[in-house]
Amino acid sequence: MTPTRWTTPVGVALVTAVVGFALVGPLEMLGLTLTRLPWTAVAAVLLLAVVVLVLGWPVRRWNRGHRDRPLDPLRAARTAVLGQASALAGAALLGWYLGQVVHLLPDVAYPLPRQSVVALLVAAGAAALLLVAGLVVERWCRLPDDEDDDTPPGAASSR
């Protein structure tokens, strides 16, 4: 698995921001209000960020030398994938919420849109935390580089 480059979450966030901005207006005309956000959505994203960090912590400890318990390699690989998926989901949510904020900015002088903008910015902050938690856990799951081995991956060793 290749590590997530910074351009991938940025690209995902930009695409979903454009989609969010473009869809909010037409969907509101149809009677669907997307800009009202329950606080449970923010709590769920924050809880998910904490769960990702908690699941990644044993892998981090094992990589740092605390090997009092064996670590299942499949669990470590699944945790790395969870970190990558969380980073991308956090980026998608971040873009979605920010796209809606941009849509509401012209009406921010009125109380109801202002409340929605504040709620969406809080949700965007929670999504950013999920993005960062995913990237951190993905980094924790990297194996340390072997300085003694100069052979490329897949090549036969001469030892």
Side-chain angles (χ1 to χ4, degrees):
M1 184 175 98
T2 59
T4 304
R5 293 185 214 147
W6 67 271
T7 55
T8 304
V10 169
V12 168
L14 286 174
V15 167
T16 55
V18 169
V19 169
F21 177 78
L23 284 180
V24 170
L27 289 176
E28 282 182 345
M29 285 186 201
L30 294 173
L32 298 172
T33 305
L34 297 176
T35 55
R36 290 196 199 133
L37 190 68
W39 66 270
T40 53
V42 176
V45 172
L46 288 174
L47 180 64
L48 185 57
V50 169
V51 167
V52 168
L53 288 171
V54 167
L55 290 175
W57 188 256
V59 178
R60 178 186 184 272
R61 284 183 44 86
W62 193 85
N63 272 340
R64 292 232 170 156
H66 300 289
R67 298 183 177 168
D68 46 343
R69 292 185 218 158
L71 180 68
D72 182 18
L74 187 57
R75 177 182 177 193
R78 287 178 178 162
T79 304
V81 171
L82 175 67
Q84 192 172 42
S86 298
L88 295 176
L93 287 172
L94 177 64
W96 178 255
Y97 294 141
L98 291 180
Q100 293 180 49
V101 166
V102 171
H103 174 78
L104 289 174
L105 280 180
D107 300 327
V108 79
Y110 302 106
L112 189 58
R114 187 177 322 120
Q115 290 173 355
S116 293
V117 165
V118 169
L120 287 166
L121 286 175
V122 170
L129 288 176
L130 178 61
L131 167 64
V132 169
L135 291 174
V136 165
V137 167
E138 185 183 357
R139 183 156 181 87
W140 286 350
C141 292
R142 282 180 152 171
L143 289 174
D145 291 332
D146 189 9
E147 293 86 18
D148 298 335
D149 191 10
D150 292 332
T151 58
S157 178
S158 59
R159 294 184 230 182

